[in-house]
């Protein structure tokens, strides 16, 4: 098992970098919220990150999902097995998580669209990490408007494009924005780092994703936590400008 890197980027906000995808743990008192959960093969890494922030699975209050791709929800079915923990995301993304529909490119489709050696090693990782499963999270439900009454009190910002119900989470007090795959700072299939959007093949609607980023520009804060790549420090307006360049 690879040990994930856990960094406390703000008080109670722990950014976890797994082998190919990130997730975030928000602690408040004894309880915590998990935002995204890696590939099926990341289950041990998710458990180890929970231990690293001094919590146990019994203290998990809620799971938030940026979007229902396998690299972000893969560990959840086994992680939550037998536990009464809510899994929340936008109404549309909850339907995606329940697999009423599936908006995810397969490694073959990605390779067909842009063949590079890095795509091969990424594809092998997807397969090894259990990424070929189409399994969803049947218990996923949509949240209402405004801040969520869960540890960290994130404000959801629905940013359709990467998937139809993709959602970012803003932690106004901590000055942190969790961007999922709407805006990333790197990916296993590309060498470039820094704020960027994923290649078109990864998005359900790449143009809609670019339009959605406008919502992030004026948010308060200076830490950006992407679904792929390193944490980024700076204004969100700069991050969006770089990503759209
Ligand atoms: Zn992803």
């Amino acid at each position: 098992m690879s040990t994930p890197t856990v960094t406390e980027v703000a008080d109670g906000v722990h950014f976890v970098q797994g082998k190919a995808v990130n997730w975030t743990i928000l602690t408040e008192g004894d309880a915590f919220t998990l935002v995204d959960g890696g590939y099926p093969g990341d289950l041990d890494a998710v458990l180890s990150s929970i231990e690293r922030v001094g919590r146990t699975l019994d203290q998990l209050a809620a799971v938030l999902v940026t979007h229902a791709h396998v690299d972000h929800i893969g560990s959840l079915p086994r992680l939550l097995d037998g536990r009464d923990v809510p899994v929340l995301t936008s109404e549309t993304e909850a339907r995606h998580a329940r697999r009423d529909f599936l908006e995810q490119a397969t490694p073959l489709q990605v390779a067909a669209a842009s063949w590079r050696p890095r795509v091969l090693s990424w594809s092998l990782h997807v397969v090894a990490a259990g990424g070929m499963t189409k399994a969803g999270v049947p218990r996923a439900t949509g949240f209402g408007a405004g801040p969520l009454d869960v540890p960290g009190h994130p404000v959801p910002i629905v940013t359709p494009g990467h998937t139809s119900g993709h959602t970012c989470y803003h932690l106004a007090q901590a000055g942190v924005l969790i961007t999922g795959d709407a805006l990333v700072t790197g990916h296993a299939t590309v060498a470039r780092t820094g704020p960027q959007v994923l290649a078109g093949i990864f998005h359900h609607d790449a143009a809609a994703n670019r339009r959605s980023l406008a919502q992030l520009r004026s948010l308060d804060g200076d830490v950006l936590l992407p679904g792929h790549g390193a944490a980024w420090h700076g204004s969100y307006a700069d991050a969006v400008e770089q990503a759209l360049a």
Side-chain angles (χ1 to χ4, degrees), residues 20-21 39 67 69 71-72 162 180-181 184 187 198 227-228:
V21 64
Y39 279 101
H67 65 293
H69 281 163
D71 52 330
H72 298 261
H162 182 67
D181 285 3
V184 302
H187 191 265
L198 289 165
H228 303 273

Side-chain angles (χ1 to χ4, degrees), residues 30-49:
D30 289 341
F32 71 98
T33 300
L34 176 67
V35 186
D36 285 350
Y39 279 101
D42 285 324
L43 177 64
D44 285 344
V46 171
L47 290 169
S48 130
S49 65

Side-chain angles (χ1 to χ4, degrees), residues 1-5 19 23 41-49 51-52:
M1 183 196 93
S2 63
T3 317
T5 308
K19 212 169 170 202
W23 56 91
D42 285 324
L43 177 64
D44 285 344
V46 171
L47 290 169
S48 130
S49 65
E51 202 180 302
R52 293 270 294 284

